[in-house]
Amino acid sequence: MSIVVVGSVAYDTVETTRGKVTEALGGSASYFAVGARFFTPVSIVAVVGSDFKPQDQQLLADRGIDLRALERQEGKTFRWHGRYHEDMNKRDTLALEMNVFDGFAPNLLPDQRRCDYLFLANIAPVLQEKVLSQVMSPKLVAGDTMNHWIEATREDLIKLLPRVDILTVNDEEARLLAGENNLVKAGRAILAMGPRSLLIKRGEYGVIQFSKDGMFAVPAYPLEEVIDPTGAGDTFAGGMMGFLARHGRITESSLRTAVVYGSVMASFVVERFSLERLFDLTWEEIDTRYRAFINLIDSHHSRWTTQ
Ligand code: AMP
């Protein structure tokens, strides 16, 4: 089953303690799509400027990503500049230029309007809404957002939440959205805003899922070296949703497996700058790390609790 994603396609300037890249291909929709494409077909709904390099478009096309709804407009592509702290769970946004996204009116193709799986990647909630309204009867809608939108367009975001099945946010965004410092209370408060399920991404500490039935947590895959955490959240979402779309059934159990696949995909993207690691990743590497991950989290608890 294919996924439609709306989000940013960007040129990112990123500084970490391990180096710097200038105007590298990025954006929430790009990371999501490249991650999800390992599992299922994906189409991107977004806009780029006249400066968007044909070789960057080719990189996405070469992965088999459907770019029919990637519009090109006169002007500059979206740009983001971020700097990570020594503690890579923390970063500052130094510059954010919406450029051609200002005034963008997404228009889905007839087959995209009939999609079953929709991901509203991090972009203005009004654009997320414009895409959501065009999709006829999606089986699963997941969405992401960011501090910037929680602060600048809170009302638009709140209106959208009851129409989202799975919301993914990081811990800082969860606290900001809920106005609550304790993560469990924040999780409960966000569920009360409408999403059926909430995934709070906690960087190197992993992910906690909240639903009305309870909570579950998965650690991050431990890595010796992180080069650039940019896009980890979007790539996580790509792996998670890609697995669900491929599997076809959404149950508590498939959601847990999906969260593990999401975590596996996120663990790769941070190993290099930009999308570099995802571009040379193979399915065999994903499979090997998935097995290592399962081994890591399996406590063999049942062996000790029988009788
Ligand atoms: P992540 O590290 O998963 O939060 O995603 C980082 C990506 O999101 C970068 O490639 C940025 O281009 C993109 N990004 C950053 N800020 C925004 C924003 N306000 N709206 C849309 N995309 C953004």
Side-chain angles (χ1 to χ4, degrees):
M1 282 292 179
S2 66
I3 306 175
V4 170
V5 54
V6 58
S8 53
V9 173
Y11 281 133
D12 290 342
T13 297
V14 178
E15 299 172 44
T16 79
T17 50
R18 304 308 314 276
K20 177 175 177 177
V21 283
T22 305
E23 308 221 322
L25 177 61
S28 56
S30 312
Y31 280 104
F32 176 90
V34 177
R37 188 66 190 91
F38 282 94
F39 299 83
T40 203
V42 192
S43 43
I44 291 182
V45 179
V47 60
V48 291
S50 35
D51 58 349
F52 194 64
K53 297 187 203 95
Q55 58 267 38
D56 288 330
Q57 177 135 352
Q58 199 55 48
L59 280 172
L60 298 173
D62 285 347
R63 307 304 308 174
I65 295 165
D66 175 2
L67 300 175
R68 289 173 302 155
L70 178 66
E71 274 182 41
R72 186 179 280 266
Q73 272 177 28
E74 208 45 53
K76 281 176 80 182
T77 297
F78 176 100
R79 276 171 172 71
W80 176 73
H81 183 174
R83 183 187 292 145
Y84 288 84
H85 296 203
E86 185 78 37
D87 167 3
M88 289 216 204
N89 283 321
K90 298 204 176 91
R91 74 178 176 204
D92 299 317
T93 289
L94 304 182
L96 181 68
E97 291 174 36
M98 294 308 292
N99 297 330
V100 288
F101 268 100
D102 283 328
F104 172 51
N107 191 14
L108 272 63
L109 297 157
D111 58 297
Q112 295 173 330
R113 290 171 193 249
R114 289 192 297 272
C115 75
D116 281 330
Y117 294 87
L118 176 64
F119 189 69
L120 308 171
N122 176 28
I123 197 65
V126 293
L127 288 180
Q128 295 178 317
E129 200 281 329
K130 278 184 186 153
V131 170
L132 177 57
S133 299
Q134 291 175 45
V135 175
M136 287 185 272
S137 53
K139 193 165 156 184
L140 184 77
V141 178
D144 190 18
T145 192
M146 206 179 215
N147 282 8
H148 175 75
W149 305 115
I150 299 172
E151 284 169 330
T153 59
R154 188 179 182 87
E155 287 305 307
D156 296 336
L157 180 64
I158 299 277
K159 261 194 262 158
L160 202 66
L161 293 182
R163 298 166 70 190
V164 169
D165 298 302
I166 303 176
L167 178 71
T168 67
V169 283
N170 69 28
D171 42 5
E172 201 187 330
E173 293 153 358
R175 290 186 172 105
L176 186 66
L177 181 57
E180 168 60 59
N181 207 37
N182 177 283
L183 261 199
V184 179
K185 287 185 184 163
R188 295 274 156 242
I190 295 170
L191 278 188
M193 295 175 186
R196 281 203 288 148
S197 171
L198 170 70
L199 286 165
I200 301 186
K201 301 165 286 181
R202 305 177 63 227
E204 65 174 303
Y205 307 112
V207 177
I208 309 184
Q209 190 249 5
F210 293 82
S211 70
K212 66 171 176 16
D213 302 321
M215 291 188 280
F216 75 82
V218 166
Y221 187 76
L223 294 171
E224 277 187 33
E225 185 165 65
V226 172
I227 302 290
D228 173 15
T230 307
D234 308 307
T235 310
F236 166 85
M240 178 206 61
M241 189 120 173
F243 173 81
L244 288 176
R246 186 177 185 142
H247 185 71
R249 272 177 299 122
I250 297 135
T251 61
E252 197 64 22
S253 153
S254 66
L255 189 57
R256 286 184 184 219
T257 307
V259 168
V260 173
Y261 270 112
S263 306
V264 166
M265 296 307 292
S267 76
F268 282 114
V269 74
V270 303
E271 290 179 343
R272 307 244 288 272
F273 275 102
S274 182
L275 285 147
E276 277 171 29
R277 182 65 177 100
L278 295 186
F279 283 139
D280 67 13
L281 186 63
T282 64
W283 180 256
E284 287 66 38
E285 288 176 301
I286 296 171
D287 194 44
T288 304
R289 191 164 292 179
Y290 176 78
R291 286 164 202 273
F293 202 108
I294 293 296
N295 213 22
L296 172 82
I297 61 181
D298 184 357
S299 64
H300 300 284
H301 185 63
S302 57
R303 288 185 195 166
W304 305 101
T305 53
T306 46
Q307 68 179 306

